[in-house]
């Protein structure tokens, strides 16, 4: 069980985001449950930024306002049984902060344009809340795709949004970092995507694994689309380099220069060329300095063909 949790912690957006939570808050299966439930990785009250998901569940799923919170709590308990970690205990799996990113509006405008051929992929999508928001915003769900390492996250998403029989979105469980020929489940996505979203994803890995993941993501892109875009949010730093994550594994954090350098390497290895943009994000409630590292930053990025 502990090995499974560590694996999910390295591959899914529902993983703990680097620097946002004290190192002592990680899942510790040998400690009694009451220790875990004292506001550390499991909170009883819904967070203040829950309103966007409430609105999505009311308008997209048709859940009555008075029933939404109970529904959220019930889904959280199911996910907690799968992955008892801070991202579930603190309701982070419901985040819709991506809608604050200017590139979300760029993506949305492209997707809803008349006769648009664009397809959208959410990497590490967890329960698929971003994809449901896009559908509510007017995107044809048959052009929306999501992938995550954990198939139970994808399945629970259908029950969270009550659209198992109505959604046309394609969800694929797979491992972007699988060795050898890669995860064959993901081949169905190859060459189809115009826009890819990957939030709280790259910062989970070493430089080498980031390169491998990025190379796999490049294969998802439509090779004939000159306007392809990859965007998202992640933890960055003013002093780029390796950091030791929970469980002792390494991860590499970037500034704007090293992020471009990484995509230059990806370009050399894939015969492609990429231009990156990086901006710091200033938001209330962020706790990136909670482990005493003042260099950490929350950043948003965009990646475009050069």
């Amino acid at each position: 069980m502990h090995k499974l949790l560590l694996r999910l912690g390295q591959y899914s957006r529902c993983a703990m985001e680097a620097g946002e939570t004290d190192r002592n808050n990680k899942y510790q299966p040998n400690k009694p449950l009451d220790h875990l439930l004292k506001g550390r990785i499991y909170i009883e009250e819904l967070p203040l930024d829950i309103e966007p998901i409430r609105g999505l569940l009311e308008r997209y799923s048709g859940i009555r306002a008075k029933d939404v919170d109970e529904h959220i709590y019930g889904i959280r308990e199911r996910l907690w049984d799968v992955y008892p970690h801070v991202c579930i205990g603190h309701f982070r799996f419901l985040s819709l902060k991506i809608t604050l990113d200017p590139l979300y509006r760029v993506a949305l405008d492209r997707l809803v344009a008349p006769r648009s051929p664009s397809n959208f992929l959410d990497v590490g999508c967890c329960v698929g809340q971003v994809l449901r928001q896009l559908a509510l915003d007017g995107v044809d769900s048959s052009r929306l795709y999501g992938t995550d390492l954990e198939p139970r996250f994808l399945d629970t998403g259908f029950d969270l949004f009550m659209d198992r029989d109505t959604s046309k979105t394609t969800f694929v469980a797979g491992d972007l970092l699988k060795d050898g020929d890669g995860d064959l489940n993901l081949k169905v996505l190859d060459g189809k995507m115009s826009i890819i979203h990957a939030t709280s994803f790259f910062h989970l890995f070493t430089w080498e694994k980031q390169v491998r993941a990025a190379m796999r993501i490049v294969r998802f892109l439509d090779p004939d689309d000159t306007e392809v875009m990859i965007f998202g949010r992640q933890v960055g730093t003013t002093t780029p380099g390796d950091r030791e994550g929970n469980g002792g594994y390494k991860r590499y954090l970037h500034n704007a220069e090293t992020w471009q350098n990484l995509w230059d390497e990806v370009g050399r290895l894939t015969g492609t060329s990429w231009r990156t943009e990086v901006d710091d994000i200033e938001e209330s409630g962020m706790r990136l300095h909670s482990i005493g590292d003042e260099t950490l930053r929350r950043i948003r990025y965009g990646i475009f063909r050069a």
Side-chain angles (χ1 to χ4, degrees), residues 60-305:
Y60 175 84
S61 304
I63 300 174
R64 294 180 299 179
K66 70 182 185 67
D67 297 328
V68 165
D69 287 4
E70 181 180 357
H71 182 64
I72 289 173
Y73 280 118
I75 292 295
R76 196 267 294 265
E77 293 312 300
R78 284 180 53 185
L79 291 173
W80 181 260
D81 288 341
V82 174
Y83 187 47
H85 213 284
V86 65
C87 66
I88 304 300
H90 282 217
F91 300 96
R92 293 180 189 168
F93 66 95
L94 299 174
S95 174
L96 286 171
K97 288 184 178 180
I98 186 59
T99 60
L100 303 176
D101 191 325
L103 290 180
Y104 177 84
R105 174 52 60 178
V106 173
L108 180 60
D109 289 345
R110 287 187 60 184
L111 290 164
V112 299
R115 296 181 297 279
S116 171
S118 297
N119 294 322
F120 179 101
L121 172 65
D122 191 8
V123 171
C125 66
C126 196
V127 294
Q129 73 276 17
V130 172
L131 299 169
R132 271 67 175 212
Q133 182 65 53
L134 284 166
L136 180 64
D137 287 341
V139 180
D140 179 355
S141 64
S142 67
R143 291 189 288 114
L144 299 176
Y145 297 77
T147 184
D148 201 282
L149 179 70
E150 174 51 70
R152 289 172 292 182
F153 289 160
L154 305 178
D155 186 66
T156 303
F158 287 115
D159 294 331
L160 172 60
F161 293 104
M162 302 179 66
D163 62 353
R164 190 179 298 274
D165 297 325
T166 56
S167 175
K168 298 178 182 178
T169 299
T170 299
F171 290 97
V172 181
D175 184 352
L176 269 71
L177 297 180
K178 189 171 183 179
D179 292 330
D181 294 331
D183 193 325
L184 297 181
N185 289 339
L186 298 174
K187 289 182 66 66
V188 67
L189 306 175
D190 286 353
K192 291 184 176 180
M193 305 303 153
S194 298
I195 305 167
I196 295 178
H197 169 240
T199 279
S200 300
F201 178 73
F202 286 101
H203 68 212
L204 300 173
F205 310 121
T206 63
W207 178 286
E208 291 75 17
K209 287 184 177 180
Q210 288 180 33
V211 170
R212 192 192 312 171
M215 292 175 62
R216 187 66 189 87
I217 285 173
V218 166
R219 287 169 54 189
F220 294 146
L221 294 168
D222 181 347
D224 298 321
D225 187 346
T226 60
E227 302 298 322
V228 295
M229 178 175 75
I230 306 166
F231 75 109
R233 300 156 56 102
Q234 60 192 22
V235 174
T237 179
T238 57
T239 57
D242 290 321
R243 297 292 197 280
E244 184 173 321
N246 294 312
Y249 68 90
K250 301 289 186 180
R251 62 184 77 194
Y252 191 98
L253 300 184
H254 291 276
N255 64 6
E257 180 179 1
T258 61
W259 187 236
Q260 179 65 59
N261 291 343
L262 183 130
W263 282 92
D264 287 343
E265 181 174 340
V266 171
R268 288 192 296 271
L269 292 170
T270 58
T272 56
S273 183
W274 303 99
R275 171 179 60 85
T276 66
E277 297 178 359
V278 173
D279 295 299
D280 286 354
I281 303 173
E282 295 294 337
E283 290 176 355
S284 62
M286 289 173 35
R287 295 184 295 156
L288 289 177
H289 300 157
S290 62
I291 62 171
D293 188 343
E294 297 292 330
T295 73
L296 298 181
R297 300 290 186 269
R298 169 68 66 188
I299 61 175
R300 66 168 61 99
Y301 69 85
I303 305 165
F304 314 89
R305 291 200 192 278

Side-chain angles (χ1 to χ4, degrees), residues 7-77:
R7 181 171 169 78
L8 284 174
Q10 295 183 50
Y11 286 79
S12 173
R13 180 175 311 152
C14 282
M16 181 168 61
E17 298 180 359
E20 287 192 68
T21 305
D22 188 274
R23 293 176 184 268
N24 293 327
N25 290 359
K26 64 183 179 179
Y27 177 65
Q28 301 179 49
N30 294 325
K31 292 193 175 185
L33 186 60
D34 59 357
H35 174 80
L36 299 176
L37 301 184
K38 293 181 179 179
R40 298 176 64 80
I41 70 169
Y42 186 106
I43 59 176
E44 295 292 346
E45 299 296 325
L46 292 171
L48 296 177
D49 62 354
I50 202 70
E51 287 307 318
I53 201 71
R54 279 193 179 120
L56 180 59
L57 289 168
E58 290 175 28
R59 296 168 58 204
Y60 175 84
S61 304
I63 300 174
R64 294 180 299 179
K66 70 182 185 67
D67 297 328
V68 165
D69 287 4
E70 181 180 357
H71 182 64
I72 289 173
Y73 280 118
I75 292 295
R76 196 267 294 265
E77 293 312 300

